Amino acid sequence: MRAVVTVARSAGGGAMPLAELAAAEGIPLRFLEQIVPLLRRGGILESRRGSAGGYFLARSASTISLAEILELVDGPVQFMGSAGSAASSGATLAAIFADIENDVTAGLASVTIDEVVARHASDEGGMAYEI
């Protein structure tokens, strides 16, 4: 997610080289090399070759949710395995965790990259004193 947010924040919306992205976020380059193809296939990022090449958002940041990125990279949110216990307490706990999974997924789906970028900008601004 951090990589997508950094690409979205890149100056002028230009393409961001993978090495620059890795350095900006302190993410190992080898890890990004594994994640970026998933994000490309999922329609989150696109790439451009050449001297001005790199990665950029495939569509508007306001249409990309945190849930979409998480599911592309890690799969669906799952707190308990799909095989619940047949015992009464196990079935009850499985139902409770299923409700929590649904709440977490809905929460992640409701937040877009655009919102994260906006919040990051306001968090970085700190206190401003103007006269």
Side-chain angles (χ1 to χ4, degrees):
M1 283 189 224
R2 289 177 19 218
V4 175
V5 170
T6 300
V7 169
R9 290 180 53 233
S10 68
M16 183 174 228
L18 201 56
E20 184 180 323
L21 178 57
E25 281 299 319
I27 301 171
L29 184 59
R30 287 188 185 265
F31 178 73
L32 280 178
E33 289 171 341
Q34 295 172 359
I35 298 302
V36 167
L38 299 172
L39 296 170
R40 286 185 65 218
R41 281 191 296 272
I44 304 292
L45 295 179
E46 287 186 16
S47 63
R48 181 179 358 191
R49 293 179 184 244
S51 60
Y55 291 89
F56 55 96
L57 294 181
R59 57 184 203 266
S60 169
S62 64
T63 66
I64 302 170
S65 74
L66 298 184
E68 185 178 4
I69 296 167
L70 184 66
E71 287 183 12
L72 280 171
V73 175
D74 291 330
V77 173
Q78 209 172 6
F79 293 124
M80 287 185 74
S82 57
S85 170
S88 175
S89 62
T92 301
L93 285 172
I96 289 169
F97 276 100
D99 290 344
I100 294 169
E101 287 172 12
N102 291 336
D103 291 344
V104 169
T105 300
L108 290 168
S110 72
V111 179
T112 65
I113 293 300
D114 201 31
E115 293 172 48
V116 175
V117 169
R119 184 166 178 175
H120 185 273
S122 69
D123 288 350
E124 271 192 342
M127 298 180 79
Y129 297 97
E130 296 180 23
I131 300 177

